[in-house]
């Protein structure tokens, strides 16, 4: 790896100043499970990495029913699935956090990093969109919030501008009678990149779908939020037949490429199957709530 | 070119101060600066687990940690697993079950298995295989490794 400088600021302000001064010659470092690999592969040419793990706001993990869930951008996966509130209230996030990489990767990798890395296959992003997640960003001109479905703008491209850092991910408390799920297809049992994935949430009302959100992984340049799949089943009974309506729309919305992991046709078919299965699991979870 | 960074750590229970370049991984710092060469380099991108160490209470692939991130952290490497000349039950079980051939992956497997049994003393076969999915072995086919971990779990519970 070529020479880099390392800074470990203790406040968001300091981090923003460092990132703003260096521009695209610097990137924040959370778990490093993508960034260090990319630096060795010369995917980025940096002079500076700014370690985000000593900034209190980026290590926050708090939930309360009034304010929802806040996950600091540098919080590692193991802390997320080890948190009893997250496990009981946001199981769809736990689905993803517990299947990214193996045990060693989960000891370091963060959902904030997964989002900012902006890979189409990012496992945690579809369920975070399903839970109406918002990115809280700080920068030289102050703070702003961006809905997670608007955060990734292309392969490895995000809305972050010069000097901006993702501080945390925020999720409102799910409504009563709601459920969510993330599943993916990989040819191995674990430790693989999704051929396709589906993250969904549903809110039930007397056995019907009050609202639903469907987001797909690995089938577009960014995580693909398919608003119309959820909208089409609002008001319909919470049955497999209804799930099939949404999954057909998800299949048609997917715009995958053919590569070593799968063909266009195969991935579109996977979107249909995964969306239907994820919706049925989310409905079951909603009934348990 | 900036100076090297002074890093204070605790490695295998002892205070260790080291000088490392910010670009050096923890793996490189352990092997090339501290001289602890039991931790192995395999893929150098986090897939194979040969460089597994315990870092701040969690197992990590030390190739994906910068040496400078170790400031103030506690680290356990394979050299810290045995008690003096007495092997850890997991090491003994790997020997008795022939759970190694070439041995390159073994330090990573033992550090990872130790962390598993410390938090889950009686894991199922599925739990063992899932926990060790980030450790690759090209010799054994894994079955002997899984049996060694099961054997160690029994012996550690009897102890």
């Amino acid at each position: 790896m070529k020479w880099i400088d390392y800074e470990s600021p203790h406040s968001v302000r300091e981090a923003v100043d460092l990132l703003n001064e260096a521009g695209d010659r610097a990137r924040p470092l959370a778990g490093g499970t993508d960034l260090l690999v990319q630096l060795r592969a010369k995917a980025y040419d940096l002079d500076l990495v700014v370690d985000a793990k000593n900034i209190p706001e980026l290590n926050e993990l708090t939930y309360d029913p009034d304010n929802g869930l806040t996950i600091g951008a540098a919080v590692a996966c193991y802390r997320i699935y080890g948190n009893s509130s997250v496990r009981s209230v946001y199981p769809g996030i736990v689905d993803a956090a517990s299947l990214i990489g193996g045990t060693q990767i989960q000891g370091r990798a963060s959902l904030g990093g997964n989002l900012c890395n902006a890979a189409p296959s990012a496992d945690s992003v579809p369920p975070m969109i399903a839970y109406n997640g918002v990115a809280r960003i700080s920068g030289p001109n102050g703070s702003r919030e961006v809905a997670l479905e608007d955060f990734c703008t292309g392969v490895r491209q995000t809305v972050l501008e010069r000097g901006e850092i993702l501080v945390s991910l925020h999720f409102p408390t799910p409504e009563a009678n709601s459920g969510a799920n993330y599943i993916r297809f990989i040819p191995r049992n674990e430790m693989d990149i999704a051929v396709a994935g589906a993250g969904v949430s549903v809110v039930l009302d007397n056995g019907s779908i009050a609202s639903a959100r469907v987001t797909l992984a690995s089938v577009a340049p960014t995580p693909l939020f398919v608003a119309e799949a959820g909208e089409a089943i609002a008001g319909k009974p919470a049955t497999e037949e209804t799930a099939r309506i949404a999954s057909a729309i998800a299949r048609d919305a997917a715009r995958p490429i053919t590569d070593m992991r799968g063909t266009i046709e195969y991935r579109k078919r996977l979107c249909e199957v995964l969306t239907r299965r994820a919706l049925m699991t989310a409905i079951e979870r909603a009934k348990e709530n | 070119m900036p100076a090297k960074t002074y890093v204070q750590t605790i490695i295998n229970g002892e205070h260790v101060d080291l000088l490392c370049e910010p670009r050096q991984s923890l793996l490189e710092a352990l092997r090339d600066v501290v001289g602890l060469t039991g931790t192995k380099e395999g893929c150098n991108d986090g897939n194979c687990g040969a460089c597994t160490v315990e870092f701040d209470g969690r197992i990590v692939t030390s190739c994906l940690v910068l040496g400078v991130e170790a400031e103030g952290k506690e680290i356990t490497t394979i050299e810290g697993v045995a008690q003096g000349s007495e092997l850890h039950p997991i090491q003994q079980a790997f020997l008795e079950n022939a759970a190694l051939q070439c041995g390159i992956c073994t330090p990573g497997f033992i550090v990872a298995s130790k962390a598993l049994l410390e938090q889950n003393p009686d894991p199922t076969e599925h739990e063992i295989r899932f926990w060790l999915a980030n450790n690759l072995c090209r010799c054994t086919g894994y079955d002997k490794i899984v049996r060694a971990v099961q054997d160690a779990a029994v012996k550690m519970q009897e102890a």
Side-chain angles (χ1 to χ4, degrees):
Chain A
M1 197 189 293
K2 80 176 254 300
W3 189 277
I4 45 164
D5 286 331
Y6 170 85
E7 295 283 353
S8 183
H10 286 76
S11 71
V12 172
R13 187 75 261 163
E14 280 176 83
V16 166
D17 287 346
L18 287 163
L19 291 168
N20 193 37
E21 192 182 320
D24 61 9
R25 307 294 299 171
R27 282 183 79 82
L29 169 70
T33 55
D34 285 315
L35 184 62
L36 297 186
V37 176
Q38 290 159 353
L39 284 175
R40 290 195 188 110
K42 299 184 170 65
Y44 296 110
D45 185 15
L46 303 185
D47 297 327
L48 173 69
V49 295
V50 178
D51 193 344
K53 292 188 291 298
N54 293 307
I55 305 172
E57 292 89 337
L58 278 84
N59 280 311
E60 179 182 355
L61 180 60
T62 52
Y63 169 74
D64 76 74
D66 293 333
N67 297 306
L69 173 67
T70 300
I71 301 177
V75 172
C77 288
Y78 80 92
R79 283 186 61 198
I80 293 163
Y81 59 68
N83 182 291
S84 57
S85 296
V86 182
R87 276 213 307 275
S88 64
V89 185
Y90 301 90
I93 291 177
V94 171
D95 292 333
S98 51
L99 58 66
I100 294 173
T103 314
Q104 287 90 321
I105 299 300
Q106 292 163 12
R108 294 273 291 172
S110 65
L111 302 194
N114 199 217
L115 179 67
C116 291
N117 188 55
S121 56
D123 285 308
S124 70
V125 181
M128 293 200 294
I129 291 172
Y131 278 111
N132 291 288
V134 170
R136 290 179 169 166
I137 299 164
S138 280
N141 301 316
S143 298
R144 63 184 176 123
E145 295 195 344
V146 174
L148 292 188
E149 57 265 36
D150 300 325
F151 190 91
C152 298
T153 54
V155 178
R156 282 205 203 154
Q157 304 289 315
T158 72
V159 296
L160 290 178
E161 291 174 8
R162 185 183 181 115
E164 285 191 321
I165 188 169
L166 176 69
V167 174
S168 62
L169 305 154
H170 180 75
F171 305 90
T173 296
E175 292 178 53
N177 308 310
S178 65
N181 182 220
Y182 174 73
I183 51 173
R184 67 178 181 187
F185 176 78
I186 56 174
R188 307 197 302 201
N189 289 326
E190 65 280 297
M191 291 262 305
D192 208 348
I193 297 169
V195 181
V200 309
S201 63
V202 297
V203 181
L204 302 187
D205 180 22
N206 279 328
S208 291
I209 307 280
S211 65
R213 287 167 71 85
V214 174
T215 302
L216 304 171
S218 276
V219 292
T222 65
L224 186 65
F225 175 51
V226 190
E228 59 274 26
E231 286 158 7
I233 58 172
K236 292 192 158 48
T239 60
E240 179 141 1
E241 195 183 346
T242 296
R244 284 179 191 280
I245 296 170
S247 65
I249 295 170
R251 174 200 64 211
D252 293 342
R255 34 180 214 280
I257 57 170
T258 292
D259 67 9
M260 60 186 278
R261 294 204 299 280
T263 61
I264 290 170
E265 295 76 13
Y266 186 59
R267 284 182 148 133
K268 285 178 85 74
R269 171 70 179 141
L270 278 174
C271 286
E272 188 173 10
V273 173
L274 294 170
T275 301
R276 171 171 52 80
R277 289 183 185 173
L279 279 168
M280 294 312 294
T281 300
I283 288 167
E284 285 309 307
R285 286 176 173 175
K287 287 175 180 169
E288 289 163 11
N289 280 342
Chain B
M1 190 173 281
K4 291 183 179 179
T5 304
Y6 178 60
V7 180
Q8 292 181 290
T9 66
I10 296 174
I11 301 177
N12 301 328
E14 291 181 13
H15 288 275
V16 176
D17 298 352
L18 56 131
L19 282 172
C20 65
E21 298 177 1
R23 65 177 165 180
Q24 277 182 310
S25 66
L26 176 61
L27 170 64
E28 290 166 328
L30 287 169
R31 290 181 57 88
D32 302 341
V33 181
V34 187
L36 291 173
T37 54
T39 305
K40 303 303 181 197
E41 178 183 315
C43 66
N44 215 28
D45 65 10
N47 275 291
C48 81
C51 67
T52 299
V53 301
E54 197 172 295
F55 180 81
D56 209 16
R58 300 290 306 180
I59 52 167
V60 301
T61 43
S62 59
C63 69
L64 295 186
V65 180
L66 293 175
V68 289
E69 291 183 72
E71 173 63 38
K73 299 285 197 267
E74 284 193 39
I75 298 158
T76 303
T77 68
I78 185 65
E79 288 90 346
V81 173
Q83 297 277 327
S85 61
E86 188 164 332
L87 292 180
H88 188 283
I90 294 172
Q91 293 172 307
Q92 193 63 40
F94 268 63
L95 283 177
E96 290 173 5
N97 289 274
L100 62 150
Q101 289 179 35
C102 87
I104 283 283
C105 71
T106 312
F109 265 104
I110 286 174
V111 171
S113 302
K114 178 172 169 282
L116 169 65
L117 296 184
E118 281 167 0
Q119 73 158 49
N120 182 357
D122 189 21
T124 64
E125 179 181 342
H126 179 81
E127 287 170 333
I128 294 169
R129 288 183 183 274
F130 204 79
W131 181 272
L132 296 177
N134 210 154
N135 292 81
L136 302 185
C137 173
R138 301 290 81 173
C139 301
T140 63
Y142 301 102
D143 282 354
K144 291 175 176 180
I145 291 172
V146 172
R147 283 202 289 277
V149 177
Q150 289 171 316
D151 185 23
V154 170
K155 293 201 166 116
M156 286 168 70
Q157 284 186 294
E158 285 169 354

